Amino acid sequence: MTRPSPSAGPGTASSGPGAPDITRLQTTIAELAADTYRGRRVGTPGSRAAAGWLTRQLTELGATVTTETFPVHGVRNLYATPTLRWRGQDLVHRRDFVEHLASADLPEPRTVAIADALVPRGADAEGWMPKMIAGPRQGDRPLLAVRTDLHTRMVTEGGEVTISVPLRTVETTGTNIHAVLTDGVPAVLLTAHYDGVGDDPDQRLPAAADNASGVAVVLEAARLLAPTGIGIAVALLDAEEAGAQGSARHAPHVPPGTPVINVDGAAQLGDAAAVEAGGPATALLAALDQAGRETGVPLRAGSMASDNRRYAAAGLPAIGIGMGIPGYQTPAETPDRVDPATLIAATRLVVATVHHLAQVAV
């Protein structure tokens, strides 16, 4: 979408007044990724604790803060670690296999034919198989997804496997956090989801990039924009990992015409930030393009399947910005993998975009 200005480079801002504070950004990520919050899956004690902490952060910024609870449907919950045994060997959950979301609940091990119980699925570049908590309706037979290369070998060699899939579908309650920092023109809504997929029964999934990094950027951008007189509202959303149910709840109540900037993943910029626009977003995209040139952050059109789509579907000008999620939804998604320069770049991009929108509105 844009090339950076030759004189600018992402993440080059100083730490003086009006500039992003990397310590604050990293502190937010470390807090949300901590053991206290247990992966922040919607409806869990860890998620509720995260909502409480974030509410306090926004209140300390001087915002008027409200919370809204809402029902969340169809969340998959592993209540024990699944097992897969083949030819006397116990395979490793999240390395060799994962639960299939269409599986029936099978708490006790059962011996079945390979063809009846296993399907192939890819792993990430580091050999992890990500966790998901929303998907197709559970069926009537137990299923596991096995790493593609291993699945090929198992099918070729044949035989039976012994498996367990302790997986339930639960109904729960989510919490959206809404804050108004300043009233003014234009009124811009900054959003990020704070929920994660939750810890496994026997290992941590800290969700530092997805999306503690996006939350940190939104909080820091709001802090920097609050003194400007521009109208700034913030929505920290729950249940994005369960089908973006939090933004679906909120979007119909946002005033028409409100520009929405959603940040989902600000951990590793790479070649360019991915941007997806929806709704009547021409002016918003123009402001983002100017901001990219000004801050030196390269932009490209890319799929951003996140809360921005719910706002766009409600007829609002909305953009989703993503800058990488290393370790996506695995135990490898840790705070040390969130790049400080990317956090700075994302914050500067959001702040500059809002400033350019304000100039158009004057």
Side-chain angles (χ1 to χ4, degrees), residues 55-66 178-182 222 226 232-234:
T55 297
R56 292 191 293 275
Q57 302 312 298
L58 287 164
T59 301
E60 289 173 6
L61 288 180
T64 301
V65 185
T66 59
H178 306 301
V180 177
L181 281 86
T182 49
I232 299 298
V234 169

Side-chain angles (χ1 to χ4, degrees), residues 44-357:
T44 61
S47 176
R48 291 191 290 271
W53 186 82
L54 290 167
T55 297
R56 292 191 293 275
Q57 302 312 298
L58 287 164
T59 301
E60 289 173 6
L61 288 180
T64 301
V65 185
T66 59
T67 59
E68 176 192 20
T69 59
F70 57 95
V72 178
H73 307 289
V75 178
R76 302 300 191 274
N77 175 44
L78 275 178
Y79 57 93
T81 300
T83 60
L84 172 57
R85 189 172 180 83
W86 180 57
R87 296 194 168 180
Q89 180 180 2
D90 292 317
L91 303 182
V92 180
H93 183 230
R94 298 236 172 272
R95 287 295 195 177
D96 299 321
F97 74 97
V98 292
E99 62 280 5
H100 194 292
L101 297 185
S103 176
D105 181 21
L106 180 67
E108 299 299 327
R110 179 186 301 174
T111 298
V112 292
I114 288 174
D116 293 337
L118 305 183
V119 297
R121 180 176 299 166
D124 69 13
E126 298 170 349
W128 289 101
M129 301 182 75
K131 178 176 183 175
M132 296 178 287
I133 61 171
R137 181 176 300 177
Q138 285 188 264
D140 58 3
R141 65 189 179 105
L143 290 170
L144 289 172
V146 178
R147 199 180 69 241
T148 303
D149 61 317
L150 179 58
H151 182 267
T152 300
R153 177 187 163 200
M154 295 173 78
V155 169
T156 300
E157 296 184 16
E160 295 182 320
V161 290
T162 301
I163 69 171
S164 68
V165 196
L167 180 71
R168 294 191 184 117
T169 297
V170 299
E171 308 299 302
T172 189
T173 300
T175 303
N176 284 340
I177 306 163
H178 306 301
V180 177
L181 281 86
T182 49
D183 293 316
V185 177
V188 181
L189 176 63
L190 308 180
T191 68
H193 76 89
Y194 69 89
D195 64 303
V197 293
D199 288 348
D200 282 339
D202 296 310
Q203 59 185 340
R204 295 254 20 241
L205 282 79
D210 184 20
N211 186 34
S213 65
V215 171
V217 166
V218 164
L219 287 177
E220 185 67 8
R223 183 190 298 271
L224 297 174
L225 289 163
T228 66
I230 301 169
I232 299 298
V234 169
L236 300 180
L237 302 160
D238 205 354
E240 192 271 351
E241 303 293 359
Q245 295 186 50
S247 51
R249 176 80 172 198
H250 182 227
H253 306 290
V254 177
T258 301
V260 181
I261 301 174
N262 182 68
V263 183
D264 194 349
Q268 195 172 86
L269 177 57
D271 295 333
V275 176
E276 179 177 301
T282 301
L284 181 54
L285 269 177
L288 177 66
D289 188 69
Q290 285 182 284
R293 296 176 187 278
E294 177 183 299
T295 60
V297 178
L299 309 174
R300 63 172 174 80
S303 176
M304 279 295 299
S306 186
D307 292 304
N308 46 285
R309 292 186 176 179
R310 296 291 195 178
Y311 293 104
L316 298 164
I319 54 172
I321 301 171
M323 295 190 184
I325 304 175
Y328 176 67
Q329 294 181 348
T330 74
E333 196 186 320
T334 51
D336 61 289
R337 303 191 68 189
V338 178
D339 174 46
T342 298
L343 291 171
I344 295 291
T347 305
R348 295 178 68 217
L349 181 68
V350 171
V351 169
T353 300
V354 174
H355 275 298
H356 284 297
L357 277 173

